Each structure stands twice: as structure tokens, then as C-alpha cells.
Amino acid sequence: MTRPSWVFINFTLFLMMVLICSSLQSSLLHWIFNWHATFQLAITIAVYVILNRGQVESLIFTYLAFYCMAALSNMFEGVAVLTGVTLYLGLRTIRTRIYSPTPTHFTWAALSSIFLFHFLSWIFTVGLELNVPRAHPLVWVLEILITALGIKPLYHLLQWIDQKTNRVTVSEIIL
Amino acid sequence: MFGFFDFDFKKFLIVVLILALPLISLNLERRDNESETKWYQKPILWVVHPTQKAFTDFSQGVARTTSEYLNLIDIKKENRILKEELATIKQSLSEREELKLENDRLRKMLEFGHDVSHQMLAAQVTAVDLFSSEYSSLKINKGTNNGIKKWMAVITHEGVVGYVLNTTAEYSTILALTDRNAVIDAIVQRTRARGISEGVGRDLSRLKYLNRTDDVEMGDLIVTSGLDGLFPKGFPLGIVSKVSKKAFGVTQDVEFRPSVDINRVEEVFVVLTPKNPLTTPTPSPTTQPSPGAKAKQ
């Protein structure tokens, strides 16, 4: 198969994983844990793509992934995409400074992104909506702690998928 | 010294453009009366809804099997207690039925309009909001193919869950009453003080626009007024948990806990034919009252 085909397959596969993980979070994990906090798998996958792909591909993926996540929520699509794009810009900036492609760095980047996603979406909602929501930082912290339990196996799984779809992780991209 | 002014204008423009696109889409986003999902959202939902239903069915199957085996020990004892309670409830129900019949006879005599039976559709909850810490919504496995439309009320035997926000052919999204964008016309059952229920989030709602002079106490039951045309009258919304009056102002703040635990609800009823007091015609004296609401699968 040609390289564009592998890129397309990999892109579609990751997008489907975001959809399936979002479905998993909002159904099975909710029935099991019955909490407001859950394993944030979808955002973790999006962070992986942002950190390990080229600029344009990761930007398009960010738009689509966060739009898909907003479709499963009452959150405005614009707020979700705006938050996702802000995360994208922040992660790409940090990537050129201090990031290295190791599980530890990825874990810190992903967990920070999960907290920042909730915080930034709350900020944007306060600024853009009439009805001011309440912030629940303790729930966000709990979500980070829960996600931290499963993030390393998820990282290795994503790396394995990249290897099987002949995607070399791009480690030297300048913003 | 002048290096401060040397920045990449092209990159700055790209960043501004990237951030502006979602903001523009927010402006273009219409929140109108369309009940059908937009065409570009359908592929996403076509993948997601069956997946959520499959996960939900699996988890409920496991939970059901486990509970059947673990609860066998207490079933016999519980059965005896429930039988005693049922006998008491049956007697109470019989007395209430008599009162209802008498009430209906008196209404007919006075030629008042009376409640018609509500046609309801049972549905299963397949998923909750993805970001449930800030938003409260549910997804059910019934849609426009089953006659569901936007703004239809959703209830359980315990009380109000919310109303239909969006529908597809097979699934619907329910805005729960604990969501901050959910508003329902409500009254305090004891004193008939009227207000607007608004979600606060995290299993809490509040009753707004209550007059400062209205009598509301902790433990009062909040019910639907039926005046918004969405909900049948008298359905429980919740129990008052906090009443606060400031030193100034014409209103008081009332918070209440919803009767229905939104996080644990598994089956709901969608009210297909709500009574609208502004449009429902007064029935003729020959019309017989129906024995309560009928549920259909």
C-alpha cells in the first residue's frame, strides 16, 4: 500500500477510536463507576495525535475529534473546538521546547491537557454564554487521577497501532 | 534593542485565524426549533449510538446476572416485607380511587375540563453526557420513528427527568432538569407559589423568581405547574433543600434536590400527548375519564 493510504487508514482509525472511547466513557464506564469523573480516553488519544503528527494533520484531527466529542455532549461544538484548538497550540508550543517522546512526558502532557480542557472550556463558557456554569475542580482532579491509572497501557497501544500502520512518529517538528 | 518588534507576522495571522474559526462557528450555530439532527452530525451519531447501546446492554446484563445470584439470600425476606407493604398500598389506592371517581363526577357536574390520559412511550437510557461534570443530558433509544419530537416531556414514576432536546430517527437526547440550560415552570405543592426551575448542575436545581413573600420551607415538594404546555400538571420535580432570603431584593433563592437521580435512571417515559391548558378543548359531558396514564412500548 502507498504512504497516503496508510496515512488515511491511520487517521480514520484514530478518529474511530476517539468516537468509540467517547461512547465507552458516556455509557459503560458511567454505569460501572456512576461518578461525574471517568477515564478520559478520547482527550488522551487526541493529545497523542497532536504530539506525534505533522502540523496540518494534527490540526485537522483536533477539529474533527473535538467536534465529535461535542456531538456526544450538550456542550456547544464551537466551545469544544475552540478549547481543543487552544490545547493544540499550547501542546505544539511545548513540544518544541521541553517534550520528548517517552511515556512519562506523554503522561504529564495528557493529564495536564485533560485538566486544561475542563478549565478552558469553563472559561470560554463563562465568557460566551449567558448562564454561568459552576466550576468543579475537584472532579477534574479526580478525573486526572483515574485516567492516570490507564494512560501508560493506552500509550503503548497507540504506539503499537502506529507501528502496524507504518506511521513513524514525527519527533522533530518545528512549530 | 529593536529585536522586540521582530516577530513572525505570518504565524501570528495563522494562529488568529485558527482561533477565529470556532468563534465564527459559534455565531453561525442556530438553536432553533428544528428537531432533526443536522446532516453533518448524522455520520458521527450513526457510529456512536449503536456503540453506546451495545456498551450499556453489556454492562446491564452483567449487573443483572450478578445481582440475581448475590441477592437470592435476601429475596425471601424482602418478599415478605413487600407483600405487607403492597397490601397497605392496595387499600390506600382503593380509597384514592373512590375519591378520584367522586372528583370526576363533581367535575362533570360543574362542566369543568378534566385531565385526559397521557400517552407515554417507554425508553431505555443508553448513555449520559460525555462531560457530565458540567452538563446533564441523557440519550435514549427512541427517536422520530417512534413519534418523539423536540420539547416532549420525559418522566419516570418518581418524577420529572427533563425534556427532549434533539432527535434522530432512532435516538433522542434528553436535557435533564439539573442542566443549567433546562427551565421548567414549577410550583410549590403546599403553598402553590410559582417559580421557574433551573438546573444548577451536579444533582441540584433551583427555583427562581419566587416572591420574597411566598411561603417556602425546607422539605416542601416542588411540582410541575403544567402551564408551560410541556409537562403534565403535578409531576414531582424535587424536595426543597435550601431557602435563602437576602437582606434586599423582591425574590428569594430556593434550591431543591430532584426526585429522580439523573445519574442512576435507566428507563424513562416520554409523554407523547401532553395536556396544554391553552389549546386543549373542553371535552363534552359524555366523555368518560380514562383510568390514568397508559404506557406503551
Side-chain angles (χ1 to χ4, degrees), chain A residues 62-64 66-68 70 75-87 117, chain B residues 18 21-22 25:
Chain A
T62 303
Y63 266 94
L64 291 175
F66 283 93
Y67 185 85
C68 291
M75 184 186 283
F76 280 115
E77 285 85 355
V79 170
V81 172
L82 183 63
T83 312
V85 168
T86 309
L87 278 178
F117 174 84
Chain B
I18 289 170
L21 283 174
S25 80

Side-chain angles (χ1 to χ4, degrees), chain B residues 17-285:
Chain B
L17 186 66
I18 289 170
L19 285 174
L21 283 174
L23 287 171
I24 293 169
S25 80
L26 270 172
N27 255 337
L28 295 175
E29 206 161 339
R30 291 184 297 128
R31 299 282 166 174
D32 52 19
N33 287 326
E34 286 179 3
S35 62
E36 282 290 327
T37 308
K38 298 182 181 58
W39 63 268
Y40 47 85
Q41 291 176 329
K42 283 182 181 174
I44 300 168
L45 299 176
W46 183 78
V47 171
V48 154
H49 283 152
T51 315
Q52 286 174 330
K53 188 171 185 312
F55 284 135
T56 300
D57 289 343
F58 170 74
S59 68
Q60 288 181 346
V62 169
R64 206 174 300 124
T65 307
T66 312
S67 65
E68 278 172 9
Y69 283 101
L70 293 178
N71 292 340
L72 277 174
I73 300 166
D74 293 325
I75 282 178
K76 195 174 178 183
K77 181 182 171 185
E78 195 180 349
N79 191 26
R80 183 178 54 77
I81 297 170
L82 285 174
K83 276 185 178 174
E84 289 169 9
E85 280 183 20
L86 183 62
T88 312
I89 290 170
K90 272 185 177 174
Q91 188 184 353
S92 171
L93 191 64
S94 166
E95 290 169 8
R96 287 174 198 275
E97 191 63 32
E98 285 302 317
L99 286 171
K100 185 180 181 302
L101 290 173
E102 184 184 350
N103 191 23
D104 288 337
R105 284 195 301 273
L106 290 172
R107 280 179 183 274
K108 279 172 66 179
M109 287 167 62
L110 291 170
E111 295 182 355
F112 280 164
H114 55 77
D115 286 341
V116 299
S117 63
H118 302 289
Q119 193 175 18
M120 295 198 291
L121 177 69
Q124 185 189 16
V125 175
T126 56
V128 299
D129 199 289
L130 182 61
F131 305 115
S132 57
S133 56
E134 285 93 32
Y135 299 89
S136 297
S137 67
L138 307 170
K139 284 208 172 28
I140 59 174
N141 61 347
K142 294 280 172 28
T144 52
N145 285 351
N146 307 99
I148 292 182
K149 294 179 188 170
K150 198 173 180 179
W151 308 126
M152 281 184 171
V154 180
I155 60 176
T156 68
H157 65 281
E158 290 175 333
V160 171
V161 174
Y163 48 88
V164 178
L165 184 67
N166 204 355
T167 59
T168 63
E170 301 285 335
Y171 296 87
S172 300
T173 303
I174 310 301
L175 187 65
L177 83 163
T178 51
D179 190 277
R180 66 176 187 280
N181 294 313
V183 286
I184 301 170
D185 203 300
I187 55 174
V188 181
Q189 190 186 50
R190 181 175 59 88
T191 62
R192 321 307 286 178
R194 190 174 161 208
I196 302 292
S197 158
E198 188 180 85
V200 174
R202 294 294 306 279
D203 313 323
L204 199 63
S205 294
R206 66 180 166 209
L207 202 58
K208 292 172 68 172
Y209 310 120
L210 274 175
N211 284 333
R212 193 182 171 77
T213 53
D214 285 333
D215 179 18
V216 183
E217 293 172 1
M218 279 186 59
D220 278 344
L221 178 65
I222 309 293
V223 299
T224 54
S225 66
L227 295 176
D228 52 12
L230 290 178
F231 289 89
K233 183 178 178 180
F235 268 76
L237 283 167
I239 304 291
V240 174
S241 59
K242 181 182 170 187
V243 180
S244 60
K245 295 181 186 179
K246 293 178 185 169
F248 53 90
V250 298
T251 60
Q252 56 181 317
D253 294 326
V254 173
E255 286 183 357
F256 65 92
R257 293 248 168 239
S259 304
V260 178
D261 188 348
I262 303 297
N263 291 318
R264 295 179 196 278
V265 66
E266 294 179 12
E267 284 91 24
V268 298
F269 293 102
V270 182
V271 181
L272 296 178
T273 54
K275 174 192 172 193
N276 188 332
L278 302 176
T279 60
T280 304
T282 306
S284 63

